[in-house]
Amino acid sequence: VSNLLSQRQAMNTSFDSFRLVNTYGAFGSITKERNEVIVEGTASDNPNSPDSQWYEIEFKCKPGDVRRAPCLISPYHLRLDWLMWFAAFQNWRVNPWLPHLAYKLIKNEAAVLPLLAPNPFPEGRPPRFVRASHYRYRFTSWKDGNPLLTGVWWKRERLPYLYMPPLGERDILPILNQFGWKQYR
C-alpha cells in the first residue's frame, strides 16, 4: 500500500525494461478541482427571457447536484458522462455530438433517456431549448463539514459565461444536416 502512495511509485519497475506496462498518462494525477458542463433545458418559448425556468439535466455519475455522492463504478465508466467531462476542456463547437444530444433531448428520444438520471421536466415533456453552463467543482473539505452528515459532497462555482448558448430545434438542424445525422418528425 505504501508503494501506491509513494512519490516514487515503483509498482511497474520489474517490467519496465521490457516496456510492456506503464502508468496511463491521463490519470497520472487527479486534480482536486474540475470544470464541468451542466446541461440545462427549458420549456419556455423564449430562452432568453428572464422568466425562463432552466432545469439541470442530471447524468448518472458525473458531478451535477452538489448533494449527490460521487459515483464509484470502477473499472468501468459511463461513456456519456466521460464525454461530458472531456467536453469541459474544449469549446462546444468542437464537440458536435453535444448539440446532437440537445436535439435528442428536445425530441425526447427514448434511447437517450436511460443514459440520464431522472427526467427533470414535468410530466416527461421535453425541453424546447437546451443550453450548457460551465461550473468549477471541488470536493468539500472537512472544514466544510463531513459530507456524510451535511449531505454536501461538492462545492461549485458558476463560471461567468455559458458553455453552449440556448439551442432549439431550428438552431440544431443545420448541424444535423452537416453531419448527416437523422432528423425526427
Side-chain angles (χ1 to χ4, degrees), residues 35-36 133-136 157-162:
N35 288 352
E36 287 287 340
S133 295
H134 220 173
Y135 285 86
R136 179 161 298 123
E157 164 195 359
R158 187 179 188 134
L159 299 178
Y161 54 89
L162 279 177

Side-chain angles (χ1 to χ4, degrees), residues 41-170:
T42 184
S44 173
D45 291 333
N46 180 358
N48 298 313
S49 167
D51 296 331
S52 294
Q53 283 191 302
W54 289 91
Y55 298 93
E56 290 187 14
I57 298 170
E58 291 281 340
F59 291 76
K60 290 189 174 188
C61 277
K62 74 180 275 319
D65 180 0
V66 296
R67 294 186 161 281
R68 194 175 69 212
C71 180
L72 299 173
I73 55 171
S74 186
Y76 307 103
H77 65 268
L78 299 173
R79 181 83 173 146
L80 182 56
D81 296 46
W82 178 259
L83 285 172
M84 292 299 296
W85 179 48
F86 278 102
F89 296 120
Q90 303 165 322
N91 183 290
W92 71 274
R93 294 179 194 278
V94 298
N95 292 295
W97 59 266
L98 195 53
H100 192 210
L101 172 65
Y103 179 76
K104 290 179 177 214
L105 292 169
I106 290 168
K107 289 300 195 176
N108 210 25
E109 186 181 312
V112 171
L113 299 178
L115 301 174
L116 307 172
N119 191 337
F121 295 96
E123 301 168 17
R125 287 180 295 199
R128 293 186 55 128
F129 292 89
V130 174
R131 71 179 184 189
S133 295
H134 220 173
Y135 285 86
R136 179 161 298 123
Y137 279 75
R138 73 171 177 80
F139 279 115
T140 55
S141 67
W142 287 110
K143 289 184 276 183
D144 300 319
N146 180 340
L148 295 173
L149 300 175
T150 65
V152 178
W153 291 87
W154 303 94
K155 282 198 166 193
R156 77 178 188 175
E157 164 195 359
R158 187 179 188 134
L159 299 178
Y161 54 89
L162 279 177
Y163 178 80
M164 182 177 78
L167 299 176
E169 183 175 352
R170 287 192 345 210

